[in-house]
Amino acid sequence: MNPAIRPRSLFIALSLLLALALWGSLALGPVSLPLGDTLQAALRLLGLTLGGSELNQAQLIVGQIRMPRTLLGLAVGAVLALCGVAMQGLFRNPLADPGLIGVSSGAALGAAIAIVGGAAFGGIPEAIAPYLLSLCAFVGGLGVTALVYRLGRRDGQTSVVTMLLAGIALNALAFACIGLFTYLADDATLRTLTFWNLGSLNGASYARLWPLLLVTFAVAFWLPRRARALNALLLGESEARHLGFEVERLKRELVFCTALGVGAAVAAAGMIGFIGLVVPHLVRLLVGPDHRILLPASMLAGASLLLLADLAARLVLAPAELPIGIVTALIGAPFFLYLLMRGR
Amino acid sequence: MLQAEALSIRRGGRTVLEGVDLALQPGRVLGVLGPNGAGKSTLLGALSGELAPAQGHVRLHGQPLDEWSGSERARCLAVLPQSSTLSFGFRVEDVVAMGRLPHATGLLRDREIVEAALQAADAAHLHGRSYLALSGGERQRVHLARVLAQLWPGAEGQTLLLDEPTSMLDPLHQHSILQATRAFASQGAAVLVILHDLNLAARYCDRLLLLQDGRPQALGPPDEVLRPEPLKQVFGLDVLIQRHPEQGHPLIVVR
């Protein structure tokens, strides 16, 4: 698995891909907009006015619908890919993924408890709902991450098999609880729950966006600072310690960071699987496992792939819309099988 | 200098190491011998700070090991574990370069050191290969190069701990790797190496520590330690001691 291309070429290619995905996400849909109008409408959102032509419709569509949705996709894709890298580094296994080991479903369970519990108490006030949901999803994700990590460890070694099996059990448990809530829920709550389980960028609003953007910035700022420590951790925990890194603290930080990132992503867009698994893998195939390159490159690739998957979800059955979680699973699950068959 | 005083380690309610007094000497190679489960790796774990002593102390330059900051300690104490679980496709030179993580000597100097360390571990020809494509013995040499790079070029005040560095090597490399270790020690570093082969230990170590059931049975030069009585007592082996015809060190032959 020697690097196939130079990091610089990869970053250029990924930036172009991201630009393409951004353009598609803003311009394409039930009403397609010309590139010029899209750009001008986007710039007007930032308070810059170029040219005087009337752009009311484009401005409305981009400003109210597509821009929040695009930003949501950008943040969700970036943070899921980053958390995927963090998980794979923490477990020192390229098959670890927030979805496979139950972090996403734990977060979804947290969100479901908030939704159904909130409805039982007469609804959560609009103003705090996004923050409360994020918090509950974060706590759910943190609980499951910590539990999987504890279960997967014996005598200072992390057993991948135990970890994956524990993930299966915790996934099943979380889904059973979510199923229970679904059974108990009324019609309105049911719709929200279904949305959470399948994942969707539909109905993005700036209010739901802020907590996620905040978390994404924090994760994107913090994780690359640990790139060298993550590289050393891949050698093994004691090896990393012998190289002078504070491994226990690093592991706690990684668990916290993943729970925070996945929790915020799930709270904002529901469960979107396989981005955290597939993206770091693809990037590793291209430039090797060095986290100093892997982390930023995965962030760019994750954001681009999620926007493209969302575009597919919007366009395939237009004017109806597929939940994006279905799209990523349809692409991601066969890819996961392919990775398994490659005989690691 | 690394020093253990009245060191005892308990694991799972059992005392697995007891009463070890040991001081590694600069420029010298200390070999640790003993049957399976005698506490060799436990001793190495305690000396490297992985295992907390139940009694006694481990001091590095007079200061207890757990009072050292991680990166300062890593600049003067390097450890090669028995096996590694690296399952990512780093290139060989990237693995060795991880030995330079505790340092800030710059990319160019680090690259020179990585090359020199690979050369010393007879692994220079593996440059550019993916770690995952290597054989077990080749991987072991790459990791040896990594810990050599961590202390390169080796100086008085530095300590290198090796847990069975020859376990997966062919006969030629068993010798060349221990020769390289000796050459590294001659720069001033203190070396502790766990070995299973008595004849390799006799040839390449200045002193030997014989462990049995977690207790030191003998500590001294190979001539003193490698005698029929202690070996019978510790390993249950009947041996004849001869002399190497050219090198003069003890040669152990099982009867």
Side-chain angles (χ1 to χ4, degrees):
Chain A
M1 201 159 58
N2 269 330
I5 54 174
R6 292 167 158 282
R8 230 184 93 182
S9 327
L10 180 78
F11 281 117
I12 292 172
L14 284 177
S15 305
L16 290 176
L17 184 70
L18 185 62
L20 182 77
L22 281 174
W23 166 74
S25 186
L26 288 175
L28 302 181
V31 180
S32 289
L33 304 169
L35 177 61
D37 288 6
T38 315
L39 263 179
Q40 289 198 17
L43 286 176
R44 283 192 182 189
L45 283 178
L46 299 173
L48 299 170
T49 314
L50 299 175
S53 62
E54 284 299 312
L55 285 165
N56 287 339
Q57 197 205 12
Q59 219 174 326
L60 204 65
I61 294 177
V62 171
Q64 294 302 309
I65 303 169
R66 291 193 190 156
M67 185 55 89
R69 183 174 188 142
T70 302
L71 288 177
L72 182 65
L74 205 67
V76 167
V79 85
L80 283 180
L82 284 172
C83 290
V85 176
M87 281 275 103
Q88 292 170 8
L90 173 68
F91 288 109
R92 301 207 307 282
N93 188 287
L95 295 184
D97 166 76
L100 286 176
I101 58 173
V103 183
S104 309
S105 56
L109 178 60
I113 291 174
I115 295 166
V116 176
F121 286 106
I124 315 168
E126 273 297 314
I128 61 157
Y131 298 94
L132 186 69
L133 274 183
S134 297
L135 185 70
C136 288
F138 162 67
V139 172
L142 183 69
V144 173
T145 318
L147 198 59
V148 169
Y149 194 76
R150 283 291 296 275
L151 290 170
R153 275 173 64 83
R154 191 166 295 169
D155 299 332
Q157 298 285 321
T158 310
S159 155
V160 179
V161 178
T162 317
M163 182 189 91
L164 286 176
L165 291 176
I168 290 173
L170 289 172
N171 262 333
L173 197 63
F175 281 125
C177 293
I178 294 172
L180 191 67
F181 284 123
T182 314
Y183 182 73
L184 295 173
D186 55 39
D187 277 354
T189 323
L190 195 62
R191 262 185 60 99
T192 330
L193 277 178
T194 315
F195 160 85
W196 243 271
N197 288 339
L198 296 177
S200 173
L201 301 186
N202 197 5
S205 67
Y206 289 108
R208 254 183 32 215
L209 205 52
W210 292 125
L212 175 67
L213 282 182
L214 216 65
V215 165
T216 306
F217 277 123
V219 170
F221 174 75
W222 180 81
L223 265 184
R225 297 167 64 94
R226 295 291 180 272
R228 283 151 47 98
L230 273 165
N231 281 348
L233 190 61
L234 293 187
L235 287 173
E237 286 184 20
S238 18
E239 283 90 336
R241 218 169 284 133
H242 297 320
L243 285 170
F245 294 100
E246 284 184 58
V247 173
E248 290 308 317
R249 205 180 89 191
L250 175 69
K251 288 190 305 188
R252 275 200 306 275
E253 289 176 341
L254 288 174
V255 167
F256 184 82
C257 179
T258 307
L260 194 67
V262 174
V266 168
M271 278 203 287
I272 300 176
F274 291 102
I275 291 287
L277 173 76
V278 171
V279 170
H281 254 290
L282 285 175
V283 176
R284 240 185 244 115
L285 284 176
L286 292 171
V287 286
D290 188 339
H291 284 91
R292 285 171 296 186
I293 296 151
L294 182 61
L295 282 165
S298 294
M299 188 170 73
L300 289 177
S304 311
L305 282 189
L306 198 85
L307 286 179
L308 293 175
D310 181 54
L311 209 53
R314 270 193 269 166
L315 295 180
V316 169
L317 294 180
E321 220 178 80
L322 272 175
I324 189 175
I326 294 178
V327 178
T328 56
L330 278 178
I331 303 167
F335 185 77
F336 180 67
L337 284 177
Y338 159 74
L339 291 176
L340 281 180
M341 298 329 279
R342 278 178 77 225
R344 311 210 129 259
Chain B
M1 190 172 71
L2 193 65
Q3 220 169 350
E5 296 156 24
L7 183 66
S8 291
I9 301 279
R10 291 177 68 80
R11 280 179 112 171
R14 239 169 51 88
T15 303
V16 288
L17 197 69
E18 201 174 5
V20 177
D21 286 289
L22 195 63
L24 298 188
Q25 295 163 346
R28 295 303 177 100
V29 179
L30 171 77
V32 179
L33 297 170
N36 298 134
K40 303 185 293 295
S41 294
T42 306
L43 173 64
L44 190 127
L47 291 178
S48 64
E50 279 282 286
L51 303 172
Q55 274 162 29
H57 302 278
V58 177
R59 294 179 204 275
L60 184 60
H61 299 304
Q63 200 179 352
L65 212 51
D66 51 9
E67 287 176 15
W68 282 74
S69 88
S71 50
E72 270 179 46
R73 193 193 61 217
R75 284 194 285 268
C76 57
L77 175 66
V79 185
L80 178 72
Q82 222 172 88
S83 60
S84 173
T85 53
L86 181 60
S87 54
F88 288 79
F90 284 102
R91 279 173 306 183
V92 164
E93 60 272 26
D94 295 337
V95 177
V96 179
M98 287 196 208
R100 299 306 296 169
L101 284 176
H103 302 267
T105 35
L107 197 63
L108 284 179
R109 177 75 185 125
D110 283 355
R111 241 180 237 161
E112 285 170 22
I113 290 174
V114 165
E115 282 318 303
L118 275 170
Q119 203 91 48
D122 197 10
H125 61 291
L126 301 176
H127 193 285
R129 299 260 302 270
S130 163
Y131 174 82
L132 294 179
L134 304 183
S135 76
E138 287 170 334
R139 291 181 184 192
Q140 206 169 21
R141 274 145 58 201
V142 169
H143 282 293
L144 180 73
R146 174 172 66 76
V147 293
L148 290 180
Q150 190 178 337
L151 301 180
W152 201 262
E156 197 165 331
Q158 295 188 317
T159 306
L160 179 62
L161 307 176
L162 307 171
D163 196 347
E164 295 191 36
T166 56
S167 60
M168 292 165 115
L169 301 182
D170 57 61
L172 172 67
H173 280 110
Q174 291 182 2
H175 284 273
S176 59
I177 287 311
L178 287 173
Q179 267 159 17
T181 306
R182 275 221 70 94
F184 188 76
S186 70
Q187 302 289 317
V191 178
L192 177 147
V193 53
I194 295 177
L195 288 171
H196 268 302
D197 188 312
L198 301 175
N199 286 313
L200 285 177
R203 177 154 185 171
Y204 294 106
C205 297
D206 300 301
R207 285 192 307 159
L208 293 175
L209 171 68
L210 205 53
L211 278 179
Q212 184 184 25
D213 295 331
R215 290 160 183 279
Q217 291 300 333
L219 173 64
D223 280 325
E224 250 174 58
V225 174
L226 296 174
R227 287 178 297 116
E229 305 81 52
L231 291 181
K232 169 78 182 164
Q233 189 203 338
V234 169
F235 290 99
L237 267 179
D238 273 321
V239 299
L240 294 172
I241 309 290
Q242 313 258 302
R243 288 278 148 197
H244 190 288
E246 286 171 358
Q247 308 285 331
H249 62 74
L251 203 57
I252 295 93
V253 184
V254 179
R255 295 179 84 154

